[in-house]
Amino acid sequence: MGRYVLRRLILAVPVVLGVSVAVFLMASAVPGDPATVLAGDTASAEQVERIRHDLGLDQPLPIQYLHFLDRLAHGSLGESTRTHREVLLEIADRFPYTLALTLGAVTLSTLLGLALGILAALNRGRAGDYLTMGFAIVGLSVPTFLIAILGIIVFSLNLHWLPVAGAFSPASYVLPTVTLSLHSAAVKARITRSSLLEVFGQDYLRTARAKGLRERAVILRHALKNALIPISTIIGLQFGALLGGAYIIENIFGWPGIGRLATQAIFNRDFPLVQGTVLVSAITFVLVNLAVDVLYAWLDPRIRYS
Amino acid sequence: MRALLRLLPTAALVIAACAPQAAPAPSASQVNKVGGSVTFVATTDPDTLDLHQTSNPVSSTIFGWIYEPLVYQDLDNTYKGLLAESWTVSGDSRSITFKLRSGIAFTDGTPFNADAVKFTFERLQRVGAKSPIFETFKNVTAMEAKDATTFVMTLKDPYAPIFHDLQVSYAGILSPTAVKAANDNIGRSAVGTGPYKLKEFQTGQQITLERNAEYKWAPTLFANRGAPYIQQLRYRVIAEPATQLAALDAGEVDYLGLRAQDLAKYSSDTRFKIFDSFTFGLTYLGFDAKRPPFDNAKLRAALAKAVNKDEIVQVVFENKLAKAQCCPIAESIQGYDPRLKDLELKYDPAKAKSELDGLGYKPGADGMRISPDGKAWRPVLYTTTSDTHGKISTLLQAQFKAVGVDVQIKQLESGALLAATPKAEHDLYLNGYSWNEPDMFSLFLSCDRITSSNRVLYCNPQLEDLIKKGRTELDQAKRMQIYFDAQKLTMQEAPWQPLYMPISKTAVNAKIQDLKQGQAGGLYWHDAWVKP
């Protein structure tokens, strides 16, 4: 297993480098010159040229990329063209908020999705099934921003239970986390239901029951553990989607996360910051998927990595 | 919101304007007013608090509380001393000697003096390429701190807008000791002489400013001559307009610029007071005057007459958040002259049609005009992706259609728009400026700026001559006559059709007492206090 993890980590290097090249090329293709945007709408051509030179943007693209790699090799992602702070420092300020939001949403959506999926599967064709699947359809079809705004109106403006925006207290985490988790919970509920229904007909469950195991043990220890493999795949994939999709939530709830940082960096043509945020997201995504692959082996002892 | 944020520093500068006399001891009632906090909204983080490294309006707003410049612009548009007590201009107008106030200290405890002024402006010349006043200081050839309270600035050429450029928040004076202690990295450690000091910068969330208790040089304009009453000012970073409104409703923010559609609700809500402010800016419709066919002034003038400004103000702003303007200098800005109203290219669709006919742009089979060479004519209007600009563009499209001109709209994100205009990709251009000085001509309509901030690529030697005269003429009456002539010429040549001056309406939490409104619209906070 250790060698497998090491091999995956080594293989992640070209993936991350590939991402960096793609982002670098995309950034350079975006219309709008960083120096012009930085200089503002009253700047002279000379000011723009001076800023362009200061930022090294007057050099050929391959040279600019080599400088980026050189900085990377020295443990730096460069300096934000706007704030003049180290990109790593900017990300370090914001990433924990996004990570907390994403981890909270993944945890909540997994718990909620599993509970609803189990409930639906156990009550197949009955009211419980229709109710939970109805929730899933609502969760999938109602746009996240609408849920967010409704949440603010009900819980912040009418009930005064929760703050509208910011990340100043534990209560601030509730609305963004719940909003971000609902869509994901709906997906997991549907997959849990169908996975469970698939394993319910398997011989080993009949054997477990014949051995006299209690129904709870049959469901949780035998059925659910086997049904968890497709769900854990989804968790890995959704983690990445939630990291990226947190932008809308961050924007609505004034959340100081990396999604807003990246988007603002794109509008500001702050390319070192864009590259930095994408790289950190890519590395996180790679690591989470590696963790999911390792989890497979724990869930299903037949899976062995070499 | 941008316009609103631009106004705040102006207000803050006036608040902070100092007086020569020492402040009297606070009375018991004044002491009772100290405390509380006021929370503003910022749509983004201030990118940096280094006032030489940015042109960001949110940063500029915060500079207005922390730093103070040498002079400020009073309600009557004249310049008065803030950190400077007085000044004299040499006979050849190339040298200004400032007598600085004594007894003023930075919030790090070090004294304000001529060395600090020299240090600050030399740093601006060295690292300030991103500053809106960088070009001004290229004209400064020498600076000397003669003694602790005498600072002399020598200019290459006489430069009339110098006092305007010295009063903007970007011209605040830095504490040299603080800059050196921070190894020149002052993006998060601002130290000035202002009524507030930086307490905390929470990236992406909030900037907190703390009352400068040692501040005692407020101008006579205010009843309170000492430190401000309000203990803390906060800038909450909230980008989404719906969330900003919800935060205002929930009491999480106390001050918010309103959109036209929100005015009715907040005007009748007793929890808030509504303040009106003129803005120092103008939104205009420009024509790419360099390229055919809009290099023809007659064609520009004909199309200008198809524009119904009043309809724009009514439909888009419900007659509340904008006022139609006749002239290139908005009525809030020095240099505006109501006599120019007679020269306005007024809305006259019949005349627009006949002039277009006369220029050979005849209607085709579908009623839309074709160019004189028989080809289809579909001028492209470039503008930003802002909701307001989108609505105005759509309205303009309909107004042009009514005279048979099929205008296409292209909305670009502002960075892309800035890059597109110098390449002359556009035919028409909808945008605005925000600059409280008649010298705005040199930024937006001069030949020197044709590859940068002159986004209509208009170059006229006659106007160029007036712009140069306006920059060097220090006699105020003569200078205003120059700008009268420059406006007259611009209105005849029509590279711009002026549309409107934005008006900001702000909802302010009613707990804030004694907040005053100036004639020009800015809000004055130094007497304000928060009712517990």
Side-chain angles (χ1 to χ4, degrees), chain A residues 42 44 46-47 50 82-85 93 164-165 167 252 260 269, chain B residues 47 126 129-130 135 138 188 203 205 236-237 243 252 413 449:
Chain A
T42 59
S44 67
E46 193 186 331
Q47 266 177 285
R50 184 164 162 172
R82 280 260 159 187
T83 65
H84 307 283
R85 295 175 80 214
D93 274 351
V164 172
I252 293 175
R260 250 173 70 202
R269 308 295 191 273
Chain B
D47 45 15
R126 199 176 68 246
K130 292 173 200 155
E135 289 284 316
K138 275 173 64 188
R188 299 292 175 100
T203 308
Q205 284 209 85
R236 287 280 297 275
V237 183
T243 312
E252 291 181 26
E413 179 272 322
R449 295 300 185 102

PDB file of all heavy atoms in Angstrom, chain A residues 42 44 46-47 50 82-85 93 164-165 167 252 260 269, chain B residues 47 126 129-130 135 138 188 203 205 236-237 243 252 413 449:
ATOM      1  N   THR A  42      -7.358  55.726 -15.710  1.00  0.00           N
ATOM      2  CA  THR A  42      -6.815  57.062 -15.972  1.00  0.00           C
ATOM      3  C   THR A  42      -5.317  57.021 -16.269  1.00  0.00           C
ATOM      4  O   THR A  42      -4.698  58.067 -16.432  1.00  0.00           O
ATOM      5  CB  THR A  42      -7.033  57.989 -14.757  1.00  0.00           C
ATOM      6  OG1 THR A  42      -6.387  57.405 -13.629  1.00  0.00           O
ATOM      7  CG2 THR A  42      -8.506  58.180 -14.447  1.00  0.00           C
ATOM      8  N   SER A  44      -1.594  56.537 -17.986  1.00  0.00           N
ATOM      9  CA  SER A  44      -1.002  56.826 -19.294  1.00  0.00           C
ATOM     10  C   SER A  44      -0.384  55.548 -19.855  1.00  0.00           C
ATOM     11  O   SER A  44      -0.158  54.574 -19.122  1.00  0.00           O
ATOM     12  CB  SER A  44       0.084  57.887 -19.142  1.00  0.00           C
ATOM     13  OG  SER A  44       1.155  57.352 -18.390  1.00  0.00           O
ATOM     14  N   GLU A  46       2.587  55.184 -20.738  1.00  0.00           N
ATOM     15  CA  GLU A  46       3.909  55.019 -20.123  1.00  0.00           C
ATOM     16  C   GLU A  46       3.793  54.299 -18.781  1.00  0.00           C
ATOM     17  O   GLU A  46       4.598  53.423 -18.464  1.00  0.00           O
ATOM     18  CB  GLU A  46       4.529  56.405 -19.927  1.00  0.00           C
ATOM     19  CG  GLU A  46       6.002  56.361 -19.584  1.00  0.00           C
ATOM     20  CD  GLU A  46       6.536  57.749 -19.252  1.00  0.00           C
ATOM     21  OE1 GLU A  46       5.996  58.739 -19.798  1.00  0.00           O
ATOM     22  OE2 GLU A  46       7.452  57.834 -18.446  1.00  0.00           O
ATOM     23  N   GLN A  47       2.762  54.675 -18.002  1.00  0.00           N
ATOM     24  CA  GLN A  47       2.538  54.002 -16.708  1.00  0.00           C
ATOM     25  C   GLN A  47       2.285  52.512 -16.933  1.00  0.00           C
ATOM     26  O   GLN A  47       2.816  51.668 -16.226  1.00  0.00           O
ATOM     27  CB  GLN A  47       1.301  54.590 -16.022  1.00  0.00           C
ATOM     28  CG  GLN A  47       1.596  55.714 -15.053  1.00  0.00           C
ATOM     29  CD  GLN A  47       0.306  56.281 -14.487  1.00  0.00           C
ATOM     30  OE1 GLN A  47      -0.384  57.011 -15.189  1.00  0.00           O
ATOM     31  NE2 GLN A  47      -0.020  55.946 -13.261  1.00  0.00           N
ATOM     32  N   ARG A  50       5.422  50.719 -17.803  1.00  0.00           N
ATOM     33  CA  ARG A  50       6.304  50.567 -16.644  1.00  0.00           C
ATOM     34  C   ARG A  50       5.824  49.409 -15.753  1.00  0.00           C
ATOM     35  O   ARG A  50       6.628  48.600 -15.288  1.00  0.00           O
ATOM     36  CB  ARG A  50       6.338  51.876 -15.848  1.00  0.00           C
ATOM     37  CG  ARG A  50       7.289  51.810 -14.706  1.00  0.00           C
ATOM     38  CD  ARG A  50       7.608  53.175 -14.178  1.00  0.00           C
ATOM     39  NE  ARG A  50       8.166  53.080 -12.844  1.00  0.00           N
ATOM     40  CZ  ARG A  50       8.686  54.075 -12.185  1.00  0.00           C
ATOM     41  NH1 ARG A  50       8.723  55.267 -12.736  1.00  0.00           N
ATOM     42  NH2 ARG A  50       9.170  53.929 -10.977  1.00  0.00           N
ATOM     43  N   ARG A  82      -1.571  42.502  -7.273  1.00  0.00           N
ATOM     44  CA  ARG A  82      -2.444  43.508  -6.644  1.00  0.00           C
ATOM     45  C   ARG A  82      -1.988  43.859  -5.241  1.00  0.00           C
ATOM     46  O   ARG A  82      -1.862  45.002  -4.873  1.00  0.00           O
ATOM     47  CB  ARG A  82      -3.871  42.956  -6.544  1.00  0.00           C
ATOM     48  CG  ARG A  82      -4.631  43.050  -7.814  1.00  0.00           C
ATOM     49  CD  ARG A  82      -5.555  44.243  -7.784  1.00  0.00           C
ATOM     50  NE  ARG A  82      -5.892  44.610  -9.139  1.00  0.00           N
ATOM     51  CZ  ARG A  82      -6.579  45.685  -9.463  1.00  0.00           C
ATOM     52  NH1 ARG A  82      -7.001  46.506  -8.537  1.00  0.00           N
ATOM     53  NH2 ARG A  82      -6.844  45.954 -10.703  1.00  0.00           N
ATOM     54  N   THR A  83      -1.821  42.805  -4.429  1.00  0.00           N
ATOM     55  CA  THR A  83      -1.576  43.060  -3.010  1.00  0.00           C
ATOM     56  C   THR A  83      -0.091  43.101  -2.676  1.00  0.00           C
ATOM     57  O   THR A  83       0.271  43.513  -1.583  1.00  0.00           O
ATOM     58  CB  THR A  83      -2.238  41.972  -2.136  1.00  0.00           C
ATOM     59  OG1 THR A  83      -1.576  40.734  -2.424  1.00  0.00           O
ATOM     60  CG2 THR A  83      -3.715  41.823  -2.441  1.00  0.00           C
ATOM     61  N   HIS A  84       0.742  42.620  -3.588  1.00  0.00           N
ATOM     62  CA  HIS A  84       2.189  42.549  -3.386  1.00  0.00           C
ATOM     63  C   HIS A  84       2.547  41.624  -2.225  1.00  0.00           C
ATOM     64  O   HIS A  84       3.603  41.750  -1.626  1.00  0.00           O
ATOM     65  CB  HIS A  84       2.795  43.942  -3.164  1.00  0.00           C
ATOM     66  CG  HIS A  84       2.428  44.891  -4.249  1.00  0.00           C
ATOM     67  ND1 HIS A  84       3.031  44.872  -5.475  1.00  0.00           N
ATOM     68  CD2 HIS A  84       1.472  45.846  -4.318  1.00  0.00           C
ATOM     69  CE1 HIS A  84       2.482  45.786  -6.245  1.00  0.00           C
ATOM     70  NE2 HIS A  84       1.519  46.381  -5.573  1.00  0.00           N
ATOM     71  N   ARG A  85       1.650  40.715  -1.905  1.00  0.00           N
ATOM     72  CA  ARG A  85       1.957  39.725  -0.880  1.00  0.00           C
ATOM     73  C   ARG A  85       2.257  38.409  -1.562  1.00  0.00           C
ATOM     74  O   ARG A  85       1.819  38.166  -2.685  1.00  0.00           O
ATOM     75  CB  ARG A  85       0.760  39.527   0.069  1.00  0.00           C
ATOM     76  CG  ARG A  85       0.423  40.737   0.894  1.00  0.00           C
ATOM     77  CD  ARG A  85      -0.838  40.466   1.682  1.00  0.00           C
ATOM     78  NE  ARG A  85      -0.621  39.694   2.878  1.00  0.00           N
ATOM     79  CZ  ARG A  85      -1.482  38.812   3.370  1.00  0.00           C
ATOM     80  NH1 ARG A  85      -2.617  38.574   2.744  1.00  0.00           N
ATOM     81  NH2 ARG A  85      -1.233  38.154   4.479  1.00  0.00           N
ATOM     82  N   ASP A  93      -4.313  32.501   4.002  1.00  0.00           N
ATOM     83  CA  ASP A  93      -5.343  33.279   4.706  1.00  0.00           C
ATOM     84  C   ASP A  93      -6.746  32.769   4.385  1.00  0.00           C
ATOM     85  O   ASP A  93      -7.644  32.825   5.216  1.00  0.00           O
ATOM     86  CB  ASP A  93      -5.276  34.753   4.262  1.00  0.00           C
ATOM     87  CG  ASP A  93      -4.266  35.545   5.063  1.00  0.00           C
ATOM     88  OD1 ASP A  93      -3.756  34.999   6.049  1.00  0.00           O
ATOM     89  OD2 ASP A  93      -3.994  36.698   4.703  1.00  0.00           O
ATOM     90  N   VAL A 164     -26.086  37.022   8.621  1.00  0.00           N
ATOM     91  CA  VAL A 164     -26.269  37.043   7.162  1.00  0.00           C
ATOM     92  C   VAL A 164     -24.975  36.671   6.458  1.00  0.00           C
ATOM     93  O   VAL A 164     -24.976  35.863   5.516  1.00  0.00           O
ATOM     94  CB  VAL A 164     -26.708  38.456   6.699  1.00  0.00           C
ATOM     95  CG1 VAL A 164     -26.722  38.548   5.181  1.00  0.00           C
ATOM     96  CG2 VAL A 164     -28.074  38.804   7.272  1.00  0.00           C
ATOM     97  N   ALA A 165     -23.888  37.292   6.865  1.00  0.00           N
ATOM     98  CA  ALA A 165     -22.653  37.134   6.093  1.00  0.00           C
ATOM     99  C   ALA A 165     -21.444  37.116   7.004  1.00  0.00           C
ATOM    100  O   ALA A 165     -21.518  37.508   8.166  1.00  0.00           O
ATOM    101  CB  ALA A 165     -22.530  38.284   5.102  1.00  0.00           C
ATOM    102  N   ALA A 167     -17.606  35.195   8.427  1.00  0.00           N
ATOM    103  CA  ALA A 167     -17.220  33.955   9.114  1.00  0.00           C
ATOM    104  C   ALA A 167     -16.677  34.334  10.481  1.00  0.00           C
ATOM    105  O   ALA A 167     -15.550  34.019  10.837  1.00  0.00           O
ATOM    106  CB  ALA A 167     -16.172  33.218   8.296  1.00  0.00           C
ATOM    107  N   ILE A 252     -22.310  34.746  -1.952  1.00  0.00           N
ATOM    108  CA  ILE A 252     -23.586  35.113  -1.330  1.00  0.00           C
ATOM    109  C   ILE A 252     -23.409  35.373   0.164  1.00  0.00           C
ATOM    110  O   ILE A 252     -23.941  36.338   0.702  1.00  0.00           O
ATOM    111  CB  ILE A 252     -24.650  34.021  -1.578  1.00  0.00           C
ATOM    112  CG1 ILE A 252     -24.988  33.985  -3.066  1.00  0.00           C
ATOM    113  CG2 ILE A 252     -25.909  34.270  -0.745  1.00  0.00           C
ATOM    114  CD1 ILE A 252     -25.925  32.881  -3.467  1.00  0.00           C
ATOM    115  N   ARG A 260     -13.756  32.927  -3.918  1.00  0.00           N
ATOM    116  CA  ARG A 260     -13.866  34.376  -4.159  1.00  0.00           C
ATOM    117  C   ARG A 260     -12.511  34.972  -4.484  1.00  0.00           C
ATOM    118  O   ARG A 260     -12.383  35.847  -5.330  1.00  0.00           O
ATOM    119  CB  ARG A 260     -14.444  35.056  -2.913  1.00  0.00           C
ATOM    120  CG  ARG A 260     -15.840  35.570  -3.137  1.00  0.00           C
ATOM    121  CD  ARG A 260     -16.414  36.069  -1.843  1.00  0.00           C
ATOM    122  NE  ARG A 260     -15.784  37.280  -1.383  1.00  0.00           N
ATOM    123  CZ  ARG A 260     -15.795  37.696  -0.113  1.00  0.00           C
ATOM    124  NH1 ARG A 260     -16.400  36.979   0.797  1.00  0.00           N
ATOM    125  NH2 ARG A 260     -15.229  38.808   0.237  1.00  0.00           N
ATOM    126  N   ARG A 269      -6.934  40.194 -13.262  1.00  0.00           N
ATOM    127  CA  ARG A 269      -5.818  39.678 -14.073  1.00  0.00           C
ATOM    128  C   ARG A 269      -4.576  39.482 -13.200  1.00  0.00           C
ATOM    129  O   ARG A 269      -3.460  39.757 -13.616  1.00  0.00           O
ATOM    130  CB  ARG A 269      -5.477  40.618 -15.240  1.00  0.00           C
ATOM    131  CG  ARG A 269      -6.652  41.012 -16.115  1.00  0.00           C
ATOM    132  CD  ARG A 269      -7.216  39.803 -16.859  1.00  0.00           C
ATOM    133  NE  ARG A 269      -8.169  40.227 -17.877  1.00  0.00           N
ATOM    134  CZ  ARG A 269      -9.468  40.422 -17.653  1.00  0.00           C
ATOM    135  NH1 ARG A 269      -9.977  40.195 -16.441  1.00  0.00           N
ATOM    136  NH2 ARG A 269     -10.266  40.806 -18.632  1.00  0.00           N
TER     137      ARG A 269
ATOM    138  N   ASP B  47      -7.100  46.182  -2.098  1.00  0.00           N
ATOM    139  CA  ASP B  47      -6.008  45.268  -2.479  1.00  0.00           C
ATOM    140  C   ASP B  47      -4.761  45.474  -1.634  1.00  0.00           C
ATOM    141  O   ASP B  47      -4.061  44.543  -1.295  1.00  0.00           O
ATOM    142  CB  ASP B  47      -5.698  45.338  -3.980  1.00  0.00           C
ATOM    143  CG  ASP B  47      -5.624  46.742  -4.514  1.00  0.00           C
ATOM    144  OD1 ASP B  47      -5.527  47.664  -3.709  1.00  0.00           O
ATOM    145  OD2 ASP B  47      -5.654  46.908  -5.748  1.00  0.00           O
ATOM    146  N   ARG B 126       9.185  56.962  -6.817  1.00  0.00           N
ATOM    147  CA  ARG B 126       9.984  55.748  -7.013  1.00  0.00           C
ATOM    148  C   ARG B 126       9.118  54.520  -7.292  1.00  0.00           C
ATOM    149  O   ARG B 126       9.407  53.752  -8.201  1.00  0.00           O
ATOM    150  CB  ARG B 126      10.829  55.515  -5.748  1.00  0.00           C
ATOM    151  CG  ARG B 126      12.008  54.589  -5.938  1.00  0.00           C
ATOM    152  CD  ARG B 126      12.858  54.469  -4.687  1.00  0.00           C
ATOM    153  NE  ARG B 126      12.189  53.787  -3.589  1.00  0.00           N
ATOM    154  CZ  ARG B 126      11.837  54.349  -2.441  1.00  0.00           C
ATOM    155  NH1 ARG B 126      12.089  55.600  -2.227  1.00  0.00           N
ATOM    156  NH2 ARG B 126      11.222  53.640  -1.497  1.00  0.00           N
ATOM    157  N   ALA B 129       3.928  53.782  -9.778  1.00  0.00           N
ATOM    158  CA  ALA B 129       3.388  53.714 -11.144  1.00  0.00           C
ATOM    159  C   ALA B 129       1.896  53.379 -11.173  1.00  0.00           C
ATOM    160  O   ALA B 129       1.197  53.723 -12.127  1.00  0.00           O
ATOM    161  CB  ALA B 129       4.164  52.695 -11.961  1.00  0.00           C
ATOM    162  N   LYS B 130       1.401  52.721 -10.128  1.00  0.00           N
ATOM    163  CA  LYS B 130      -0.023  52.359 -10.123  1.00  0.00           C
ATOM    164  C   LYS B 130      -0.888  53.464  -9.523  1.00  0.00           C
ATOM    165  O   LYS B 130      -2.112  53.344  -9.492  1.00  0.00           O
ATOM    166  CB  LYS B 130      -0.225  51.077  -9.317  1.00  0.00           C
ATOM    167  CG  LYS B 130       0.377  49.856  -9.991  1.00  0.00           C
ATOM    168  CD  LYS B 130       0.294  48.667  -9.069  1.00  0.00           C
ATOM    169  CE  LYS B 130       1.292  47.609  -9.510  1.00  0.00           C
ATOM    170  NZ  LYS B 130       1.681  46.742  -8.410  1.00  0.00           N
ATOM    171  N   GLU B 135       1.680  60.496 -12.568  1.00  0.00           N
ATOM    172  CA  GLU B 135       2.059  61.393 -13.670  1.00  0.00           C
ATOM    173  C   GLU B 135       2.294  62.814 -13.152  1.00  0.00           C
ATOM    174  O   GLU B 135       3.157  63.524 -13.654  1.00  0.00           O
ATOM    175  CB  GLU B 135       0.958  61.409 -14.733  1.00  0.00           C
ATOM    176  CG  GLU B 135       0.863  60.113 -15.519  1.00  0.00           C
ATOM    177  CD  GLU B 135       1.973  59.965 -16.549  1.00  0.00           C
ATOM    178  OE1 GLU B 135       2.259  60.949 -17.235  1.00  0.00           O
ATOM    179  OE2 GLU B 135       2.547  58.871 -16.631  1.00  0.00           O
ATOM    180  N   LYS B 138       5.715  63.298 -11.909  1.00  0.00           N
ATOM    181  CA  LYS B 138       6.775  63.296 -12.927  1.00  0.00           C
ATOM    182  C   LYS B 138       7.157  64.735 -13.261  1.00  0.00           C
ATOM    183  O   LYS B 138       8.233  65.018 -13.768  1.00  0.00           O
ATOM    184  CB  LYS B 138       6.296  62.570 -14.177  1.00  0.00           C
ATOM    185  CG  LYS B 138       6.506  61.066 -14.082  1.00  0.00           C
ATOM    186  CD  LYS B 138       5.883  60.346 -15.235  1.00  0.00           C
ATOM    187  CE  LYS B 138       6.548  60.727 -16.538  1.00  0.00           C
ATOM    188  NZ  LYS B 138       5.833  60.183 -17.690  1.00  0.00           N
ATOM    189  N   ARG B 188      -0.235  46.118   4.635  1.00  0.00           N
ATOM    190  CA  ARG B 188      -1.131  45.761   5.742  1.00  0.00           C
ATOM    191  C   ARG B 188      -0.788  46.516   7.019  1.00  0.00           C
ATOM    192  O   ARG B 188      -1.187  46.098   8.103  1.00  0.00           O
ATOM    193  CB  ARG B 188      -1.047  44.249   6.019  1.00  0.00           C
ATOM    194  CG  ARG B 188      -1.456  43.367   4.853  1.00  0.00           C
ATOM    195  CD  ARG B 188      -2.923  43.503   4.601  1.00  0.00           C
ATOM    196  NE  ARG B 188      -3.353  42.781   3.418  1.00  0.00           N
ATOM    197  CZ  ARG B 188      -3.942  41.598   3.443  1.00  0.00           C
ATOM    198  NH1 ARG B 188      -4.168  41.023   4.582  1.00  0.00           N
ATOM    199  NH2 ARG B 188      -4.321  41.024   2.327  1.00  0.00           N
ATOM    200  N   THR B 203      -8.417  39.413   5.970  1.00  0.00           N
ATOM    201  CA  THR B 203      -8.509  39.242   4.531  1.00  0.00           C
ATOM    202  C   THR B 203      -9.851  38.651   4.114  1.00  0.00           C
ATOM    203  O   THR B 203     -10.286  37.648   4.673  1.00  0.00           O
ATOM    204  CB  THR B 203      -7.390  38.310   4.031  1.00  0.00           C
ATOM    205  OG1 THR B 203      -6.171  38.821   4.528  1.00  0.00           O
ATOM    206  CG2 THR B 203      -7.343  38.258   2.526  1.00  0.00           C
ATOM    207  N   GLN B 205     -12.736  39.514   4.660  1.00  0.00           N
ATOM    208  CA  GLN B 205     -13.863  39.663   5.591  1.00  0.00           C
ATOM    209  C   GLN B 205     -14.104  41.085   6.055  1.00  0.00           C
ATOM    210  O   GLN B 205     -15.171  41.637   5.855  1.00  0.00           O
ATOM    211  CB  GLN B 205     -13.605  38.823   6.846  1.00  0.00           C
ATOM    212  CG  GLN B 205     -13.812  37.368   6.661  1.00  0.00           C
ATOM    213  CD  GLN B 205     -14.223  36.739   7.966  1.00  0.00           C
ATOM    214  OE1 GLN B 205     -15.389  36.734   8.292  1.00  0.00           O
ATOM    215  NE2 GLN B 205     -13.278  36.205   8.704  1.00  0.00           N
ATOM    216  N   ARG B 236     -17.046  45.808   5.943  1.00  0.00           N
ATOM    217  CA  ARG B 236     -17.349  44.390   5.719  1.00  0.00           C
ATOM    218  C   ARG B 236     -17.305  44.110   4.225  1.00  0.00           C
ATOM    219  O   ARG B 236     -17.906  44.837   3.438  1.00  0.00           O
ATOM    220  CB  ARG B 236     -18.763  44.076   6.215  1.00  0.00           C
ATOM    221  CG  ARG B 236     -18.915  44.032   7.711  1.00  0.00           C
ATOM    222  CD  ARG B 236     -18.442  42.715   8.305  1.00  0.00           C
ATOM    223  NE  ARG B 236     -19.229  41.585   7.838  1.00  0.00           N
ATOM    224  CZ  ARG B 236     -20.379  41.205   8.383  1.00  0.00           C
ATOM    225  NH1 ARG B 236     -20.874  41.850   9.409  1.00  0.00           N
ATOM    226  NH2 ARG B 236     -21.024  40.159   7.922  1.00  0.00           N
ATOM    227  N   VAL B 237     -16.596  43.053   3.851  1.00  0.00           N
ATOM    228  CA  VAL B 237     -16.480  42.710   2.436  1.00  0.00           C
ATOM    229  C   VAL B 237     -17.653  41.803   2.055  1.00  0.00           C
ATOM    230  O   VAL B 237     -17.720  40.644   2.473  1.00  0.00           O
ATOM    231  CB  VAL B 237     -15.134  42.013   2.135  1.00  0.00           C
ATOM    232  CG1 VAL B 237     -15.004  41.739   0.641  1.00  0.00           C
ATOM    233  CG2 VAL B 237     -13.980  42.871   2.625  1.00  0.00           C
ATOM    234  N   THR B 243     -27.122  40.212  -0.652  1.00  0.00           N
ATOM    235  CA  THR B 243     -26.599  39.975   0.700  1.00  0.00           C
ATOM    236  C   THR B 243     -26.322  41.299   1.399  1.00  0.00           C
ATOM    237  O   THR B 243     -26.533  41.432   2.608  1.00  0.00           O
ATOM    238  CB  THR B 243     -25.313  39.133   0.636  1.00  0.00           C
ATOM    239  OG1 THR B 243     -25.536  38.024  -0.223  1.00  0.00           O
ATOM    240  CG2 THR B 243     -24.917  38.625   2.004  1.00  0.00           C
ATOM    241  N   GLU B 252     -26.399  44.271  10.374  1.00  0.00           N
ATOM    242  CA  GLU B 252     -24.972  43.909  10.342  1.00  0.00           C
ATOM    243  C   GLU B 252     -24.140  44.990   9.672  1.00  0.00           C
ATOM    244  O   GLU B 252     -22.929  45.052   9.866  1.00  0.00           O
ATOM    245  CB  GLU B 252     -24.774  42.568   9.626  1.00  0.00           C
ATOM    246  CG  GLU B 252     -25.317  41.397  10.407  1.00  0.00           C
ATOM    247  CD  GLU B 252     -25.111  40.062   9.712  1.00  0.00           C
ATOM    248  OE1 GLU B 252     -24.168  39.920   8.909  1.00  0.00           O
ATOM    249  OE2 GLU B 252     -25.930  39.163   9.949  1.00  0.00           O
ATOM    250  N   GLU B 413     -16.325  42.483 -19.968  1.00  0.00           N
ATOM    251  CA  GLU B 413     -15.830  42.622 -18.586  1.00  0.00           C
ATOM    252  C   GLU B 413     -14.817  43.769 -18.596  1.00  0.00           C
ATOM    253  O   GLU B 413     -14.107  43.973 -19.590  1.00  0.00           O
ATOM    254  CB  GLU B 413     -15.232  41.268 -18.184  1.00  0.00           C
ATOM    255  CG  GLU B 413     -14.652  41.181 -16.816  1.00  0.00           C
ATOM    256  CD  GLU B 413     -13.216  41.585 -16.807  1.00  0.00           C
ATOM    257  OE1 GLU B 413     -12.491  41.257 -17.749  1.00  0.00           O
ATOM    258  OE2 GLU B 413     -12.832  42.261 -15.848  1.00  0.00           O
ATOM    259  N   ARG B 449      -3.157  60.788 -24.759  1.00  0.00           N
ATOM    260  CA  ARG B 449      -3.749  59.609 -24.114  1.00  0.00           C
ATOM    261  C   ARG B 449      -4.495  58.712 -25.103  1.00  0.00           C
ATOM    262  O   ARG B 449      -5.317  57.890 -24.690  1.00  0.00           O
ATOM    263  CB  ARG B 449      -4.695  60.062 -22.998  1.00  0.00           C
ATOM    264  CG  ARG B 449      -4.012  60.765 -21.845  1.00  0.00           C
ATOM    265  CD  ARG B 449      -2.997  59.832 -21.192  1.00  0.00           C
ATOM    266  NE  ARG B 449      -2.405  60.420 -20.012  1.00  0.00           N
ATOM    267  CZ  ARG B 449      -2.767  60.107 -18.758  1.00  0.00           C
ATOM    268  NH1 ARG B 449      -3.724  59.249 -18.555  1.00  0.00           N
ATOM    269  NH2 ARG B 449      -2.160  60.654 -17.734  1.00  0.00           N
TER     270      ARG B 449
END
